[in-house]
Amino acid sequence: AFDLAYAAINHCASIRGKDPLPPAPLPFSNNNNDNNDYTNPRCDNGIDSPCIFSFLAGPKGTASRPSAIASSLKPYVVENTGWQPESDMTAGFARKTGLVGTGDGAALTLLFRNITRPVRRFDVVTLRSTSSLWKDGLAKFVIVTGGDFSHGSEIAEASSRSARETSFEISAELIVEGRRTSGSGGDQHISYHFGLDLEDGQNSADLGTDVLVRIILTNGSKFKILGLMLCE
């Protein structure tokens, strides 16, 4: 399983006021002797999880099977056209269970109502690959905070004026310097971590508000998400 320690350290350092680690992709590790458990990072009181939502694919994650990802997402899905949990058994690291968007324009919208913990950080782990199946994929992530989308259209429309939107795109292409296009090397795959501090843009979500996350496949035929976290 890949190592989520980077994301956990980055998050915990931000709570303690220390400088977080610089952004970096997470390399795939197939070390069966690695007994560290990174599935439940705790930072504030050592008891409660700092996240209102999280899933991490893989044997050491919270979702080792597609059905586990589906169960995690089900309470929050309000729109889904083309995103399904699945395992790709064709080659190497790409076989890892994940949430896969298929087809240009595939869209997934998650709504977290009346949150019980503030959300100050958004983390996502995705597949990056040199494989022609994945490398053209590009996904847009949109996070809307500070709104009330749960109590009718009029309230939602009124709250939209004060809601705050943050968006970014992540490519699935892995660029490897000096990689030959032919030979015995084969395709390469890594897990890539991107973390966003919502407080930096004053876009954090307060208690009692709603958080909306929308993911859209804007290019390519496939994109795989290996982990997703909304945390304090």
Side-chain angles (χ1 to χ4, degrees), residues 14 20 119-121 166 195-205:
S14 67
V119 173
R120 301 189 178 101
R121 185 168 177 89
T166 305
L196 181 66
D197 285 318
L198 296 171
E199 279 192 316
D200 288 349
Q202 298 183 337
N203 289 338
S204 58

Side-chain angles (χ1 to χ4, degrees), residues 66-143:
S67 58
I69 297 177
S71 296
S72 297
L73 294 172
K74 185 177 180 180
Y76 310 106
V77 174
V78 294
E79 175 199 20
N80 186 4
T81 56
W83 288 85
Q84 296 295 330
E86 60 182 59
S87 292
D88 177 12
M89 302 302 292
T90 58
F93 177 69
R95 82 182 66 177
K96 182 182 288 293
T97 299
L99 178 63
V100 177
T102 304
D104 188 24
L108 174 68
T109 303
L110 306 174
L111 178 58
F112 303 90
R113 298 175 171 87
N114 191 26
I115 60 173
T116 57
R117 294 187 72 106
V119 173
R120 301 189 178 101
R121 185 168 177 89
F122 179 84
D123 287 273
V124 60
V125 182
T126 66
L127 173 71
R128 276 192 168 173
S129 176
T130 59
S131 167
S132 58
L133 179 65
W134 301 102
K135 69 183 182 66
D136 292 330
L138 182 69
K140 181 177 182 180
F141 294 78
V142 181
I143 304 104

Side-chain angles (χ1 to χ4, degrees), residues 15-64:
I15 287 182
R16 294 194 304 266
K18 296 182 181 179
D19 292 333
L21 298 176
L26 296 174
F28 170 55
S29 171
N30 195 29
N31 182 359
N32 293 327
N33 295 321
D34 182 3
N35 294 317
N36 293 322
D37 181 6
Y38 304 119
T39 64
N40 194 12
R42 309 194 189 282
C43 306
D44 45 356
N45 61 10
I47 299 174
D48 299 322
S49 170
C51 304
I52 64 165
F53 174 82
S54 66
F55 86 80
L56 174 63
K60 288 194 175 183
T62 61
S64 59

Side-chain angles (χ1 to χ4, degrees), residues 133-202:
L133 179 65
W134 301 102
K135 69 183 182 66
D136 292 330
L138 182 69
K140 181 177 182 180
F141 294 78
V142 181
I143 304 104
V144 181
T145 56
D148 183 347
F149 310 106
S150 306
H151 298 95
S153 57
E154 291 185 5
I155 294 177
E157 183 177 352
S159 72
S160 67
R161 291 190 285 270
S162 60
R164 300 169 298 277
E165 180 178 308
T166 305
S167 64
F168 57 89
E169 289 188 324
I170 294 179
S171 169
E173 183 177 12
L174 174 61
I175 300 174
V176 180
E177 293 184 8
R179 178 179 181 271
R180 297 178 180 178
T181 56
S182 61
S184 59
D187 289 314
Q188 298 182 41
H189 318 277
I190 66 168
S191 56
Y192 173 78
H193 165 243
F194 180 82
L196 181 66
D197 285 318
L198 296 171
E199 279 192 316
D200 288 349
Q202 298 183 337

